[in-house]
Amino acid sequence: MKDIAIVLYPDMLMLDMAGPVEVFSIANRYLGEDQRYRISTLGTTGTSVRASNGITLQADLPLSDAPTAWDLLLVPGGPGAYNERHETAVPWLREAARASRHHGSICTGAFVLGEAGLLDHRHVTTHWHYISRLKQRFPRADIETDKIFVKDDELLTSGGVTAGIDLALSVVSEDHGRQIALDVAKVLLVVMQRQGGQAQFSPLVAALAKEDSPIARVQNYVLEHLEEPFSVERLAGLAALSPRHFARLFSREANTTPMDFVQRARVDRARQLLESSDLPLKTVAFRSGFGSTRHMRLSFSERLGLTPDQYRRQFT
């Protein structure tokens, strides 16, 4: 019997909790009694906890009465994870992390672990939309930007929402073998291992530099003329700067190189066309500035872990 605890707090995302719980619960159907998972929910504010969708959940135990040693301790995400402080839960989490065999988070639950100092110098991930925020708040964490989930010894973290199911399936696979995990995945109508990472769901071009800067003007020009050929020299000319100074200034303001920005923008344009039209791949490649389907395919595989064909089938 393996004991699993899920920490519940106000304004948590219920699916972050329910997804992994269902994985372990369904796995129990295929396991002998002494191999099953025993799941407990622990409330940080008592036993009654209101989730972000307005539904009130009844925890098995208040955190103050809960044991600290578990086979797996998980903290789900939700607005309450990053908008609130968890002073009463942090000391308990620190002790429980030391006492438990594994501990981790789903989605933005990583913010709660971070408050407890459990992300410092560890490889972790969270929902793609909150990667930058997590980096700013916990700069000593080594954050993986594209992984669906990350295992760093006893610490397990996952990307957004349904990635908790992926993480839980991997735990079941390690505990009881791939076949049991595959049986559970079939019941849930999910795949055992997704193609690609979080990048396939997130835009590759982040917010632009300040509007009054020459870098922003170049970025906007690129986005409006992606079908044109670009080089660092040409982009520097648009900014009226030397190539060396332009490249240095671009990297500082945009946190990427000029040509990486161009490639990211082209992938994003191609994704938009693949999602919203049935244009042939050759046309998509031309309108996105790739010049050939081969170049587009290489860029997709490198950045998204999918081919354009696979992306279109998955997102349309």
Side-chain angles (χ1 to χ4, degrees):
M1 184 75 72
K2 292 185 182 294
D3 286 306
I4 295 177
I6 313 287
V7 176
L8 309 184
Y9 55 86
D11 220 16
M12 54 158 280
L13 194 69
M14 194 164 75
L15 188 55
D16 278 5
M17 177 274 294
V21 165
E22 290 300 337
V23 169
F24 297 123
S25 176
I26 292 170
N28 284 343
R29 303 179 191 176
Y30 300 93
L31 300 171
E33 188 172 348
D34 60 337
Q35 295 180 306
R36 292 174 185 167
Y37 296 100
R38 183 165 48 201
I39 305 164
S40 300
T41 51
L42 315 176
T44 61
T45 55
T47 55
S48 182
V49 178
R50 191 175 181 85
S52 61
N53 60 7
I55 293 177
T56 299
L57 304 173
Q58 192 71 21
D60 296 313
L61 288 170
L63 205 63
S64 56
D65 295 341
T68 55
W70 303 88
D71 290 295
L72 175 61
L73 168 68
L74 289 175
V75 180
Y82 48 84
N83 287 333
E84 305 294 336
R85 297 293 180 176
H86 303 85
E87 288 92 349
T88 58
V90 161
W92 185 92
L93 281 170
R94 288 186 186 132
E95 184 180 351
R98 288 192 294 267
S100 298
R101 190 164 66 92
H102 291 99
H103 63 278
S105 61
I106 310 301
C107 192
T108 54
F111 284 84
V112 183
L113 296 187
E115 274 192 69
L118 301 175
L119 303 185
D120 293 351
H121 312 296
R122 308 301 297 270
H123 290 274
V124 301
T125 194
T126 189
H127 190 289
W128 62 264
H129 187 71
Y130 297 92
I131 289 287
S132 295
R133 188 168 175 177
L134 191 70
K135 284 181 178 179
Q136 291 172 359
R137 191 155 162 190
F138 306 108
R140 286 182 289 185
D142 190 349
I143 300 173
E144 303 277 355
T145 60
D146 190 36
K147 298 289 183 66
I148 297 294
F149 60 85
V150 173
K151 296 183 179 183
D152 186 345
D153 293 329
E154 77 285 357
L155 176 63
L156 316 176
T157 55
S158 77
V161 195
T162 57
I165 294 175
D166 299 80
L167 177 61
L169 285 170
S170 74
V171 171
V172 171
S173 182
E174 285 193 5
D175 288 345
H176 303 291
R178 178 177 172 81
Q179 187 57 53
I180 296 292
L182 184 59
D183 290 337
V184 175
K186 288 179 179 178
V187 171
L188 293 172
L189 297 180
V190 298
V191 295
M192 268 291 292
Q193 186 171 357
R194 304 193 208 193
Q195 290 179 310
Q198 290 199 67
Q200 63 188 290
F201 303 98
S202 63
L204 296 180
V205 174
L208 300 185
K210 295 179 181 178
E211 291 184 7
D212 59 350
S213 76
I215 301 305
R217 291 195 296 273
V218 169
Q219 288 178 319
N220 284 312
Y221 184 90
V222 168
L223 294 176
E224 293 171 7
H225 301 85
L226 277 173
E227 70 283 358
E228 296 180 8
F230 290 111
S231 64
V232 173
E233 289 73 19
R234 183 178 178 217
L235 295 174
L238 293 172
L241 298 170
S242 71
R244 185 175 179 181
H245 180 53
F246 168 76
R248 190 163 53 240
L249 186 62
F250 194 102
S251 296
R252 185 168 68 241
E253 291 195 20
N255 292 318
T256 188
T257 66
M259 296 314 296
D260 187 60
F261 174 84
V262 172
Q263 289 301 100
R264 287 169 177 260
R266 284 175 171 157
V267 171
D268 277 351
R269 171 70 62 79
R271 291 162 69 178
Q272 180 185 16
L273 292 173
L274 290 169
E275 292 172 10
S276 62
S277 73
D278 56 0
L279 291 170
L281 293 184
K282 186 175 181 179
T283 304
V284 172
F286 175 78
R287 291 190 182 182
S288 304
F290 285 111
S292 70
T293 54
R294 179 180 177 276
H295 188 193
M296 181 171 69
R297 188 177 299 110
L298 289 172
S299 292
F300 263 64
S301 296
E302 176 185 346
R303 297 180 183 275
L304 305 183
L306 299 168
T307 66
D309 274 325
Q310 290 169 331
Y311 186 90
R312 172 170 268 169
R313 287 195 298 270
Q314 186 160 312
F315 289 95
T316 59

